[in-house]
Amino acid sequence: MGKVIGIDLGTTNSCVAVMEGEAPVIIPNETGGRTTPSVVAFTAKGEKLIGEAARRQAAVNVDRTISSIKREMGTSSRKKINGKDFSPQEISAMILKKMKEDAEAFLGDSVEEAVITVPAYFNDAQRQATKDAGRIAGLNVRRIINEPTAAALSYGLDNGAPQKILVYDLGGGTFDVSVIEIGDNVIEVLATAGDNHLGGDDFDERIVDYLVKEFKKTEKVNLAKDVTAMQRLKEEAEKAKKELSSVMTVNINLPFIAMDRKGPKHLDLTLTRAKFEELVYDLVERTAEPVQSALNDAGISPSQLGKVLLVGGSTRVPAVQEKVRQLTGREPSKNVNPDECVAMGAAIQGGKLSGELIEGSAAAQILLMDVTPLSLSIETVGGVANRLIERNTTIPTRQSKVFTTAGNFQTSVDIKVYQGERRFTRDNKLLGNFKLDGIKRAMAGVPQIEVTFDIDANGIVKVSAKDLATGKQQEITITSSNNLSEEEIERARMEAAAFEQQDGRQQELVAIRSDAEQYVNVVQNLLGAYGKQLDRKVRSQIKADLAELRKLVAKCKPESITDAEAGNIRTAREKLEDSAKPLFEVGQNSFQ
């Protein structure tokens, strides 16, 4: 069996890891980065960009650039690019495909299986959408694992002493908190809580809103109406937020941000840490209730915590760290890298599932016991949410309940299943509509229908039903409108494969440009060192050919190089290689 990689599919950045021996190792991307921006973009010609290349061009290609897609998972949202609609699963699959390719380049072997992490507070639709994204990317998703649990797994590998820890996970788009008990080779999640729409993106948005307001006040121009200006503000806001974690003030300088009848307008503003903390105060405060809820559900007080782990890039914000100290009375631990520990924990779980860990080793012996984050209910008369499975129940779990008919001579019943903690289903999340046919005609209240709900290790819900009068077992099909059908998943996989061929060709073109750029530098250095030893005519020819190749390389961008541009570069390089032969000979003789 091949390697099972661990992928942290993040809102802002994604990360991939794999077990090497008895330790998880972060897999770098093609530029050496240990995380990859979760950004996808398309050029006007339909070429696909993922990661850093997509993020770099966002300001000049706003309409074709997609970021923070994780917040749309499990919804019917669609992104229209170049006339084609993309589901959140398809966009996420492109990011996962990039992680898969980076892993294959690192391992020198194909990768077919993965463990993918999700926020602990993701509901069934969001988990299923994540699994579908993995399938579209060509991965067999062995397990969906909660992010705080993965972080605890990474931490627990080297810190197996019995203790209760709190994992405070504030990423780019979601917030989770889990109370976890680490015992003798057992990691048990006691309780989890969170907010699926709270994260670093919201912090950035507060800075952007502030900048728009201040600029309108001083320059009488509303930047909110300019999508390009807003993208520049968003990038600068994220940068300022990060800088304010280590300094007290930052200068935000964006020249030519707008234009009016009097000419260009420039934004130049100083943002203090105090002002930033004022802007995000209520967002930081929103993390308090889930923390208290998780502690209460776990039945422990903050004083019983052995450690508090910070996960997610947004936990670097000083105001967040101070809030954690207030809530727990403890200094947050620095034992884990907030950007990498989730992927590492997923890799450990992948190693366990693949059986590649040495029997009897610390990693192989760890038993992981997770919980379902939300209660599972059925709608009964009056729209009341009748709970079958309570939140923070250890998974996998199975619960059954007997239902009956509400009307005389009913031959079918509609069952609506919800996730959430509210008393009425209208306030909870509808998972899907289930229909049971073939019920024997009888008076209301007579038929006995046993409905069974299973939550598997991925936190995904499955349903079956049994008519107790006849003993007949029936399957119930979920009809949730937000998840992709098997046909849609298969079509998306085929389109991804088609893109892969196109991407392969684009990668070849990028390599031609990159190699030429390196060759230009080599010739330039040799010319500076040994050029005077050459005949003047030869030297002049080399300089002319070098200038031509340098101009062609500089003229085209790596993310959008065309066949014609690559052809011109190849021709110019061949010409330079021919004229530079004497230079290389002189260099080689001097070296000898």
Side-chain angles (χ1 to χ4, degrees), residues 254-273:
L254 289 170
F256 303 98
I257 190 71
M259 179 81 71
D260 65 8
R261 285 175 294 179
K262 296 180 181 179
K265 299 287 184 182
H266 315 295
L267 186 148
D268 189 358
L269 185 145
T270 297
L271 180 64
T272 66
R273 183 187 291 181

Side-chain angles (χ1 to χ4, degrees), residues 20 30 46 121 161 234 268 293 302 311 375 385 410 412 432 446 503 570:
E20 290 285 317
E30 76 282 356
Y121 228 54
K234 182 180 177 182
D268 189 358
S293 176
V311 178
S375 298
Q410 274 185 250
S412 66
V446 173
D503 295 343
R570 189 186 291 112

Side-chain angles (χ1 to χ4, degrees), residues 238-310:
E238 183 182 3
K239 196 184 302 179
K241 175 189 68 179
K242 291 179 179 178
E243 290 180 14
L244 286 172
S245 293
S246 56
V247 299
M248 300 304 292
T249 62
V250 294
N251 179 251
I252 300 174
N253 191 339
L254 289 170
F256 303 98
I257 190 71
M259 179 81 71
D260 65 8
R261 285 175 294 179
K262 296 180 181 179
K265 299 287 184 182
H266 315 295
L267 186 148
D268 189 358
L269 185 145
T270 297
L271 180 64
T272 66
R273 183 187 291 181
K275 182 62 181 178
F276 170 60
E277 291 180 351
E278 177 189 324
L279 294 173
V280 302
Y281 175 80
D282 63 309
L283 298 177
V284 176
E285 286 297 308
R286 271 172 59 185
T287 69
E289 185 176 341
V291 169
Q292 194 58 54
S293 176
L295 288 170
N296 290 341
D297 287 349
I300 67 170
S301 64
S303 62
Q304 293 174 271
L305 293 172
K307 292 282 185 185
V308 176
L309 302 185
L310 298 183

Side-chain angles (χ1 to χ4, degrees), residues 149-448:
T149 308
L153 190 54
S154 175
Y155 168 80
L157 191 62
D158 298 316
N159 300 273
Q163 59 183 303
K164 292 182 176 69
I165 67 172
L166 183 140
V167 181
Y168 182 104
D169 183 356
L170 185 61
T174 60
F175 171 64
D176 289 310
V177 57
S178 292
V179 179
I180 299 172
E181 183 167 17
I182 298 176
D184 294 329
N185 295 323
V186 176
I187 294 179
E188 181 179 2
V189 181
L190 302 179
T192 191
D195 188 328
N196 279 346
H197 278 81
L198 175 62
D201 284 358
D202 301 294
F203 286 51
D204 299 343
E205 189 177 332
R206 292 297 174 85
I207 297 177
V208 170
D209 291 344
Y210 173 70
L211 296 177
V212 168
K213 182 180 177 182
E214 291 300 304
F215 193 78
K216 187 174 182 180
K217 188 187 302 181
T218 57
E219 302 292 343
K220 314 302 181 193
V221 175
N222 185 6
L223 295 177
K225 296 180 179 180
D226 185 338
V227 292
T228 301
M230 290 299 286
Q231 179 61 36
R232 291 179 67 190
L233 287 178
K234 182 180 177 182
E235 292 174 2
E236 204 63 25
E238 183 182 3
K239 196 184 302 179
K241 175 189 68 179
K242 291 179 179 178
E243 290 180 14
L244 286 172
S245 293
S246 56
V247 299
M248 300 304 292
T249 62
V250 294
N251 179 251
I252 300 174
N253 191 339
L254 289 170
F256 303 98
I257 190 71
M259 179 81 71
D260 65 8
R261 285 175 294 179
K262 296 180 181 179
K265 299 287 184 182
H266 315 295
L267 186 148
D268 189 358
L269 185 145
T270 297
L271 180 64
T272 66
R273 183 187 291 181
K275 182 62 181 178
F276 170 60
E277 291 180 351
E278 177 189 324
L279 294 173
V280 302
Y281 175 80
D282 63 309
L283 298 177
V284 176
E285 286 297 308
R286 271 172 59 185
T287 69
E289 185 176 341
V291 169
Q292 194 58 54
S293 176
L295 288 170
N296 290 341
D297 287 349
I300 67 170
S301 64
S303 62
Q304 293 174 271
L305 293 172
K307 292 282 185 185
V308 176
L309 302 185
L310 298 183
V311 178
S314 297
T315 59
R316 290 189 172 92
V317 174
V320 170
Q321 295 180 4
E322 181 56 34
K323 189 63 186 176
V324 173
R325 293 187 191 97
Q326 292 177 11
L327 292 170
T328 65
R330 294 201 170 273
E331 185 65 27
S333 173
K334 308 294 184 184
N335 287 38
V336 296
N337 183 316
D339 299 319
E340 301 175 359
C341 62
V342 171
M344 293 172 74
I348 294 169
Q349 184 68 11
K352 284 172 60 65
L353 292 173
S354 68
E356 65 181 287
L357 300 180
I358 299 173
E359 188 175 348
S361 66
Q365 290 185 59
I366 290 179
L367 175 64
L368 183 61
M369 299 174 65
D370 215 330
V371 299
T372 179
L374 297 161
S375 298
L376 190 64
S377 312
I378 282 191
E379 185 176 57
T380 53
V381 177
V384 174
N386 190 331
R387 291 184 187 175
L388 279 82
I389 299 176
E390 294 286 343
R391 74 173 188 266
N392 291 319
T393 298
T394 301
I395 58 174
T397 188
R398 177 185 176 95
Q399 297 289 341
S400 298
K401 194 166 188 176
V402 175
F403 294 87
T404 189
T405 53
N408 293 331
F409 310 117
Q410 274 185 250
T411 57
S412 66
V413 290
D414 286 318
I415 303 170
K416 294 183 178 180
V417 179
Y418 291 81
Q419 272 186 319
E421 309 309 317
R422 302 290 292 274
R423 290 172 181 261
F424 293 94
T425 56
R426 64 171 180 265
D427 301 314
N428 293 327
K429 168 72 177 179
L430 175 66
L431 288 188
N433 303 309
F434 304 92
K435 192 178 186 79
L436 179 61
D437 292 310
I439 299 173
K440 188 175 180 180
R441 290 168 60 87
M443 297 296 290
V446 173
Q448 299 286 287

Side-chain angles (χ1 to χ4, degrees), residues 11-28:
T11 305
T12 307
N13 294 293
S14 292
C15 186
V16 58
V18 69
M19 290 299 290
E20 290 285 317
E22 288 302 298
V25 174
I26 296 296
I27 295 174

